[in-house]
Amino acid sequence: MRRRYSYGPYDGGPDPLAPPFDLRAAIDRLGEDVLDGSSPRQALRELMRRGLGDRRGLDELNRQLWQRRRDLQRNNRLDGTLQQVRELLDRALAAERETLARQNSDDARFNELQLDALPSDTGGAVRELESYDWQSPDGRAAYEQIRDLLGREMLDQRFAGMKQALENATSQDVQAIREMLDDLNDLLQEHARLADTTEQFAQFMDKHGHYFPENPSTTDELIDVLAARSAAAQRMMNSLSADQRAELAALTEQAFGDPRLAQSLSQLDAMLQQLRPGQDWDGSGRFRGDNPMGMGEATRALEELGRLESLGEQLAQGYPGASLDDIDLDLLAEVLGEQARVDARALAELERELRDQGILQRAPDGSLLLSPKALRRLGQTALADVADRIGGRTGERETRRSGAAGDASGATRPWEFGDTEPWSVPRTLLNAQLRRAGGDPRALDVTDVEVIETERRVRAAVALCVDTSWSMVQEGRWVPMKRTALALHHLISTRFRGDDLALITFGRHASTVDLGELVGLEGAYVQGTNLHHALILAGQHLRRHPDATPVVLVVTDGEPTAHLEPDGSPTFSYPPAPETVHATIGELDRLTGLRAAVTFFILGDDPRLAMFTDKLARRCGGRVVAPDLDGLGASVVADYLRHRR
């Protein structure tokens, strides 16, 4: 039996054949912030806020959102209906006075007195004219337009498109509206009593569904639609001045010339507020533009403001448990365009990929940490930068040979110009075969060639001691120090796996840390540079590897101002006390007894530090290097390689 297949565009979610995310740029950005002292969680949030590459971040989307809100409030004002009513009222009174002036009768003079006695406020004047016997057809028509306008605007506040639908409305149209409102209030009252309104809702929609283009399918959906608009209408009223609110309240009683309409709408609003108290019924907005908006248009503007504020909260991600999945992508596209939806979805996918690909992992206490995979990437980047600087030094050239003895390390790599290592024949032939399988007819190409890496069969025990006192943070030396540790760690873990590296931090006291702890270390205002304690830990590390070449690398920007007492407690003193100096020199002498190669990397231009470290180096046969911050990593790595040679 033959099977038929049909083909079409994939619409089942993310493309399963799409290439994996390239997270290198994201990891580098995360790493920069973490190195600078941010927690991984803060760094991730900053990445989402700033965006990546050509993808806008949450901050930019939020900025455009608030620009939209500002334009809406700056260009418009809410008293458009009042202005229209005043213009119609002035037109009606002018036409009536003109007609009365042509009449020579006591009734005409009496009517003029009535017009002169009208209240000064628009609402009161319209209400007083309800029973007035108009003599001018144009005046009567303008007055009827006021009542018609008020009715349409009031309904347009709560029912989409009602203003246009009821233009030139007849008495039958108004009667149908009143029946719809009565049935709607009955339905909501039954729903408020927790009665089953399924059948009543169906009957209501069969009879009045044409008033609801949103086409709700349940009573609750209907309430949600109506409550959102009713709350926006209330916020519109809240945004008016007290005088404007009073005028509008008086005018609404004249809608369609029937006060029952205003009563039904008031009953509807009260019921909706009871059913949906979570809506914003008390808010307001400040509109100060030149474009007057009618009540319906103003209500839609307040409704849009509400949506913009809700979307702004989602983009700000400032509430507990916030997630990029909370962002309403449809609303975002509606407000800022389709590209905004694409950017927000890309950020959410980037965040998921960072977690799914193991870039971030949770510590036992629930906090986020950079994973070993992420640390390797940061180390690779730092080492590449260091290698460029080493290669660019005058009189030096980069060499790929890891050791002078030329013993195979078991690893291979692509051949590069200048390499003298032997070819790896199996890898070279395999690469050629794979290339030919792809359709390339050439038997052998230079890109196929791989060479065998070599290394010296020596081991080194390395102690990298880095100063973590407050001056390192204050003087901008914090990140270069961490990048130096990353580069050295990556070099040793990938090229010299037989070496053993200890990372030692020293401030008021010293401690041995792993790479993740050092990368995530935050600067703290703690006085003290306890080089004595750091050298003790370095000596312990070297003694654990007696068969390895001992190397001690010290990065600092200040004289030792603390030492350990015999009971293990640190003691701080500035200027350095003689006891601190003696304790530091004594521990350095013990390292000299282990034949350790010691190098001091001093940062800054402190002459006292330069003089002190120079004396220490002379005492132990070591070196003093004074690199700039950009060259710190290159200096440390180059010195490590020099000691290995």
Side-chain angles (χ1 to χ4, degrees):
M1 174 176 153
R2 245 185 229 181
R3 293 187 178 178
R4 290 179 174 268
Y5 298 93
S6 62
Y7 297 89
Y10 179 74
D11 58 359
D15 185 356
L17 300 181
F21 271 74
D22 183 0
L23 298 178
R24 289 174 295 181
I27 296 173
D28 290 342
R29 287 279 294 275
L30 285 173
E32 289 174 7
D33 286 339
V34 172
L35 290 174
D36 204 24
S38 298
S39 69
R41 184 183 298 279
Q42 292 170 327
L44 178 61
R45 184 177 179 184
E46 282 298 308
L47 177 63
M48 297 298 105
R49 287 179 54 197
R50 294 188 301 234
L52 188 67
D54 58 351
R55 296 299 185 200
R56 291 173 292 179
L58 298 179
D59 278 358
E60 175 60 20
L61 293 175
N62 220 345
R63 186 195 67 77
Q64 295 182 16
L65 198 68
W66 288 106
Q67 177 72 35
R68 173 80 173 263
R69 175 180 178 175
R70 188 184 68 174
D71 292 344
L72 185 64
Q73 293 181 280
R74 178 175 289 180
N75 298 333
N76 301 286
R77 68 175 195 262
L78 302 179
D79 61 348
T81 297
L82 288 174
Q83 179 176 318
Q84 284 183 277
V85 170
R86 291 190 193 105
E87 291 173 355
L88 288 171
L89 180 61
D90 290 342
R91 190 192 312 168
L93 293 176
E96 180 69 6
R97 290 182 187 279
E98 184 178 347
T99 300
L100 293 175
R102 292 195 299 266
Q103 296 178 356
N104 188 14
S105 66
D106 292 339
D107 289 340
R109 304 289 80 77
F110 178 76
N111 286 349
E112 286 177 341
L113 290 174
Q114 279 188 284
L115 297 183
D116 291 339
L118 288 175
S120 59
D121 65 286
T122 306
V126 171
R127 185 171 58 248
E128 286 292 322
L129 290 170
E130 181 180 4
S131 58
Y132 178 77
D133 183 15
W134 292 89
Q135 301 300 306
S136 166
D138 291 340
R140 180 184 295 108
Y143 181 75
E144 291 299 328
Q145 286 182 41
I146 292 175
R147 298 163 71 159
D148 179 69
L149 172 67
L150 290 171
R152 289 187 295 119
E153 289 285 5
M154 286 179 63
L155 291 171
D156 196 41
Q157 280 188 302
R158 295 156 178 87
F159 306 98
M162 192 69 80
K163 181 178 180 180
Q164 291 74 22
L166 290 178
E167 194 165 1
N168 301 319
T170 65
S171 58
Q172 290 81 5
D173 294 329
V174 176
Q175 178 61 31
I177 290 291
R178 283 200 298 264
E179 290 180 7
M180 183 272 290
L181 290 174
D182 291 340
D183 292 344
L184 178 57
N185 283 323
D186 290 341
L187 173 64
L188 297 189
Q189 285 177 355
E190 288 299 311
H191 188 78
R193 297 191 190 102
L194 303 181
D196 184 0
T197 58
T198 304
E199 184 176 348
Q200 186 178 359
F201 171 79
Q203 294 173 354
F204 175 84
M205 291 301 293
D206 287 342
K207 183 178 180 181
H208 306 294
H210 57 283
Y211 292 118
F212 303 94
E214 302 88 357
N215 195 27
S217 57
T218 65
T219 305
D220 279 315
E221 288 185 14
L222 175 63
I223 292 172
D224 289 338
V225 170
L226 293 174
R229 292 188 66 82
S230 179
Q234 183 59 51
R235 293 197 298 275
M236 190 276 290
M237 292 294 289
N238 298 342
S239 304
L240 297 172
S241 68
D243 291 341
Q244 289 173 330
R245 282 198 298 271
E247 273 193 82
L248 211 50
L251 287 170
T252 54
E253 297 178 4
Q254 305 302 315
F256 289 128
D258 188 347
R260 290 177 297 176
L261 180 65
Q263 293 168 5
S264 295
L265 289 174
S266 178
Q267 181 183 350
L268 174 63
D269 290 340
M271 184 60 66
L272 290 171
Q273 189 165 359
Q274 175 186 337
L275 292 170
R276 293 293 184 270
Q279 287 282 350
D280 182 9
W281 300 92
D282 301 321
S284 62
R286 184 184 177 191
F287 289 77
R288 53 190 184 278
D290 297 326
N291 176 46
M293 296 187 294
M295 292 169 63
E297 188 181 1
T299 296
R300 287 189 290 276
L302 266 296
E303 195 174 11
E304 181 174 358
L305 274 186
R307 294 201 305 270
L308 293 177
E309 288 177 2
S310 175
L311 196 54
E313 290 179 2
Q314 297 168 17
L315 292 175
Q317 297 280 286
Y319 50 92
S323 166
L324 293 183
D325 293 331
D326 297 342
I327 298 174
D328 187 336
L329 296 180
D330 293 334
L331 178 58
L332 186 64
E334 178 186 337
V335 173
L336 296 182
E338 185 60 32
Q339 187 58 45
R341 185 211 303 263
V342 172
D343 291 339
R345 181 184 289 124
L347 289 176
E349 292 174 354
L350 173 61
E351 183 181 40
R352 279 194 295 272
E353 286 295 322
L354 286 170
R355 298 178 189 273
D356 294 345
Q357 293 193 27
I359 304 305
L360 299 170
Q361 63 185 23
R362 291 204 175 275
D365 61 358
S367 61
L368 285 180
L369 296 175
L370 290 180
S371 68
K373 181 178 181 179
L375 293 175
R376 285 195 298 272
R377 167 62 190 173
L378 295 179
Q380 181 183 3
T381 303
L383 183 59
D385 181 62
V386 164
D388 289 342
R389 293 185 178 278
I390 293 177
R393 291 184 173 186
T394 304
E396 298 183 16
R397 84 183 269 277
E398 182 181 4
T399 175
R400 294 283 184 171
R401 187 183 297 273
S402 302
D407 295 328
S409 67
T412 64
R413 58 175 175 78
W415 176 87
E416 292 185 7
F417 180 77
D419 283 337
T420 58
E421 289 83 358
W423 287 16
S424 172
V425 176
R427 289 294 304 176
T428 300
L429 295 179
L430 176 61
N431 292 339
Q433 189 66 25
L434 292 174
R435 180 178 46 75
R436 288 199 299 271
D440 190 335
R442 292 173 296 170
L444 190 66
D445 185 77
V446 68
T447 60
D448 302 329
V449 179
E450 291 198 20
V451 296
I452 300 171
E453 287 193 322
T454 61
E455 64 179 1
R456 291 183 60 197
R457 294 304 182 189
V458 296
R459 291 180 62 245
V462 185
L464 176 62
C465 305
V466 292
D467 188 348
T468 57
S469 60
W470 179 247
S471 59
M472 292 285 286
V473 180
Q474 194 173 31
E475 300 298 330
R477 298 159 185 160
W478 195 251
V479 174
M481 174 270 290
K482 290 185 178 182
R483 291 183 64 84
T484 297
L486 274 168
L488 184 61
H489 184 278
H490 189 73
L491 176 65
I492 291 175
S493 62
T494 57
R495 298 292 299 274
F496 302 104
R497 297 183 180 91
D499 290 0
D500 201 293
L501 171 65
L503 299 174
I504 300 170
T505 62
F506 61 98
R508 176 67 67 93
H509 59 82
S511 59
T512 303
V513 299
D514 60 33
L515 184 62
E517 290 177 291
L518 178 59
V519 168
L521 187 65
E522 298 183 22
Y525 183 72
V526 177
Q527 291 180 313
T529 303
N530 198 336
L531 180 59
H532 169 235
H533 192 186
L535 296 179
I536 291 176
L537 297 180
Q540 293 173 357
H541 174 65
L542 300 184
R543 292 183 187 94
R544 284 194 290 268
H545 306 278
D547 58 337
T549 300
V551 179
V552 178
L553 310 171
V554 179
V555 178
T556 185
D557 69 346
E559 301 173 83
T561 55
H563 68 279
L564 286 187
E565 296 288 354
D567 62 358
S569 60
T571 297
F572 168 77
S573 176
Y574 184 83
E579 294 81 3
T580 299
V581 174
H582 294 156
T584 303
I585 291 176
E587 198 56 44
L588 183 65
D589 289 344
R590 294 185 183 90
L591 291 179
T592 304
L594 298 175
R595 304 180 64 82
V598 182
T599 304
F600 296 94
F601 300 88
I602 60 173
L603 305 176
D605 54 1
D606 183 355
R608 289 172 56 92
L609 173 63
M611 183 183 303
F612 180 77
T613 52
D614 184 65
K615 291 180 179 179
L616 291 182
R618 292 176 184 276
R619 187 179 183 91
C620 67
R623 300 175 65 227
V624 176
V625 180
D628 57 27
L629 288 179
D630 291 336
L632 175 61
S635 297
V636 170
V637 169
D639 195 76
Y640 159 73
L641 294 175
R642 185 182 68 83
H643 287 309
R644 288 195 101 260
R645 288 194 295 269

